[in-house]
Amino acid sequence: MEDDWKPLLSSTGTGDGCKDKGVIDSLDSKSKRPFHVEPRNIVEDDVQERVSAEAAVMSSRVSYYSRLTGSSDRLLVPPDHVIPAPEEIYVYSPLGSAFKVHGGDGSAKNPSIVTIFAIWNTMMGTSILSIPWGIKQAGFTFGILILVSVGLLTLYCCYRVLKSPKSIPYVDTSDWEFPDVCKYYFGALGQWSSLIFSLVSLIGAMVIYWVLMSNFLFNTGKFVYNYAHNVSMADNEYGTNGTDRVVCPFPDTHRNRNDTMYVFHLGDNGTGTEVFDRWWSKTSTIPFYLIILLLPLLNFRSASFFARFTFLGTISVIYLIFLVTLKAFQLGFHLEFHWFHSTEFFVPEFRLFFPQLTGVLTLAFFIHNCIITLMKNNRDQKKNVRDLSLAYLLVGLTYLYVGVLIYAAFPSPPLSKDCIEPNFLDNFPSSDIWVFVARTCLFFQMTTVYPLLGYLVRVQVMGQMFGKPYPGFFHVLLLNVIIVAAGVLVARFYPNIGSIIRYSGATCGLALVFFLPSAVHMVSLRRAGELRWPSILFHSLLILLGVANLLGQFLM
Amino acid sequence: MSSTAMKKKVLLMGKSGSGKTSMRSIIFANYIARDTRRLGATIDVEHSHVRFLGNLVLNLWDCGGQDTFMENYFTSQRDNIFRNVEVLIYVFDVESRELEKDMHYYQSCLEAILQNSPDAKVFCLVHKMDLVQEDQRDLIFKEREEDLKRLSRPLSCTCFRTSIWDETLYKVPCMSLQLIPNVQQLESNLRNFAQIIEADEVLLFERATFLVISHYQCKEQRDAHRFEKISNIIKQFKLSCSKLAASFQSMEVRNSNFAAFIDVFTSNTYVMVIMSDPSIPSAATLINIRNARKHFEKLERVDGPKNSLHMRMR
């Protein structure tokens, strides 16, 4: 190769060249590559710049460098950050036209605001209905403090989940979700445990949905029946008087740890509603009626139809916020601060039942099993952390708003704060028209989300057991029957959504929020040799908090 | 005279994997054989014998290699390596996580230079800058530059930031070196030559690297990157030629709007002449170039005993 530098023997060169022309063509396969002529190189008066200067010189560089190494050598292959973005790449056809490259991974990227909204929308679940009850269980001041702290803790753990695929060297983790990361670090154990705990949260959510749907359907039906038959229910429930009624459904049992079945007391003036009440009962019959509606929906092969209705969830939450504001306006504020003692109408500011709130909040702030997928399509990936924090802030503010307002507006002189129900809509009679609208909205929204959740469970369970999401009609039917049966049984015998939320929240939270993200982070640091004592201490503390959270549910 | 003058070295040093072989391959259009790379550290330790500027030899060394063989060889041959050095180019990988170690090796090279070739020029390249975010490049480069200048005392080093993916690699290594001692004179002669033969643009290339030493243009040109592009094109052509053990001497490109001629010029240079008047026959331009050749050769030799190889910082 260094012969280039010797004095040139021009006369002999050309002769040999002509003879070898045929050899040239066959040896140099690259001579058959298509060429491209930049419009600027054609000397004309008006030249439209179709190629930018940087792209032109980069193209020249790339074409030169590619000659310097073997075709399979990756030494001088341009890295992604120097070549133009896929949107700026055109493919030239020999016929003269050019078309844009639409890569498979050129999926539309969302601006930050859309990502933040998507996260908010996904996180806003039915736990919003239990926040006032949770604040009541923990005490007003303590409840607010806990809400903020749990929000921050879960945000940190979510940040850890988001960052976890990035610290894996040598592997392309662009389509990994958190269970894949767990599998990488902890093998099959990690994969299965993250899967099982994720299923706990999903099935827990589906059970809660069944209970709530029975509740809302019952109240809606009752409202319609009472309106049609002009029945007044005012005397049959213990509550405030007046137009803006607030009721206390279990006046005798609200301090009782055992939540007994709701027993409907007929008033002395028998209004002939016995038949209706026997066939339209919140716990005895409606859970079964729902089977007719929901089991067929669960067996749909694809859930994309239901994914179109996510806007219903947004509308419901916004309406709830409006409703809460309206009620607060109507009822006014009733707050008294008793720090450690409970009175007849108020609860202490700091209570020992606070683990119930932390359990509820763990599920309320839970998005760790799908955050990676949600943020994958964020346009500006460098702003992921900022967008995640903003989303959590919005979610926290929404919960705080609803919780504080309902708690503060709960009319305490006639009723005790202890009356706040795990589903705060239960504190309003079925004759309340604003709440009726809320219940109807939520009922419809839940009927569209329930099949989506069922689909997620199906994909994960069938995917792990059989390798494909739809192995056969009967497999899927069996799974759906099991899930529906769980929902019906719970709605029949233990319709206390506060307990269900906090137990399932604390359980899946222990694994997916506290333990796995911290453990994965510590192991990755140790492998990189950067594990330090403060980090070990902090993350072990997080894991202990998760364990304490779960234990607290049983103890308190 | 030039053939008997002692070969002066240009040392290209840096940690293994910092990009020296790629740089050399790109600048000198050397095919990188896969074996070299697979063996890890650059094994062509002794004499890569890439000659440029007539009499300079480029030597590549891996500094701080993991290989004990390399370490021993380096230490035992140290005086040999660092004797007769004209220029030391040290390459730093901007992404390196072992800054202290890098500086340590750099300093030991400087010590050896001070002992063996105290007149050598020292250049530091902060390489792979494309891996740094654009808005941080200036800052990071300034930091490194300060550190390096401080460490290099009493020698003075000049720092550049480079990346093979932008024009910084093309512009840096020889642009700042005064390749021919009398560049101004060369430029004015080039201008005269261009005006006499009525050329639009005349370029003078260094022979081995096809870096533009000097140029004249009679009017504004649109493409600021044309020098690098021409250099890439010609080097690609040379690669194709060399695969057949042929050598590149001259080229003529012509269409209805222009004619371009690339030809050997002096012993260290190539010339490119661009005529926008296609009616002038090629033969005329080629004769002009041939005649000008003698004149420019004389210019090059004017500098006498230092012999056209003295490199001065511009």
Side-chain angles (χ1 to χ4, degrees), chain A residues 314-359:
Chain A
T314 320
I315 294 178
S316 307
V317 174
I318 294 176
Y319 182 78
L320 271 180
I321 296 174
F322 158 74
L323 175 71
V324 161
T325 319
L326 177 73
K327 287 296 170 191
F329 187 67
Q330 286 174 345
L331 298 168
F333 285 144
H334 306 267
L335 279 176
E336 264 178 39
F337 293 89
H338 303 270
W339 297 98
F340 295 105
H341 311 287
S342 53
T343 64
E344 190 193 346
F345 297 120
F346 289 94
V347 296
E349 296 302 305
F350 293 86
R351 295 182 81 185
L352 282 177
F353 296 119
F354 69 90
Q356 304 196 357
L357 178 61
T358 59

Side-chain angles (χ1 to χ4, degrees), chain A residues 18-80:
Chain A
C18 289
K19 199 171 44 166
D20 294 328
K21 197 153 168 263
V23 183
I24 295 175
D25 280 339
S26 60
L27 272 186
D28 193 9
S29 61
K30 290 174 187 165
S31 67
K32 296 192 175 68
R33 251 186 304 172
F35 62 89
H36 109 268
V37 177
E38 298 173 37
R40 283 163 129 209
N41 290 347
I42 302 169
V43 181
E44 272 175 5
D45 284 335
D46 51 341
V47 174
Q48 323 99 300
E49 276 204 28
R50 293 201 293 274
V51 179
S52 74
E54 288 74 34
V57 69
M58 179 58 78
S59 153
S60 136
R61 238 174 255 146
V62 168
S63 113
Y64 167 49
Y65 292 177
S66 65
R67 303 289 226 100
L68 292 171
T69 61
S71 52
S72 52
D73 201 334
R74 295 194 65 81
L75 180 62
L76 291 178
V77 167
D80 283 336

Side-chain angles (χ1 to χ4, degrees), chain A residues 178 185-186 514-525 539 543:
Chain A
F178 193 57
Y185 282 107
F186 299 118
F514 294 104
F515 181 73
L516 282 173
S518 307
V520 158
H521 180 61
M522 286 201 282
V523 169
S524 82
L525 280 184
H539 290 98
I543 297 177

Side-chain angles (χ1 to χ4, degrees), chain A residues 218-229:
Chain A
F218 169 76
N219 280 305
T220 308
K222 204 139 98 80
F223 175 88
V224 168
Y225 182 84
N226 289 343
Y227 188 76
H229 295 245

Side-chain angles (χ1 to χ4, degrees), chain A residues 402-423:
Chain A
V402 169
V404 165
L405 273 188
I406 290 291
Y407 183 90
F410 199 76
S412 270
L415 301 173
S416 165
K417 288 283 190 206
D418 221 5
C419 273
I420 300 181
E421 284 292 301
N423 169 10

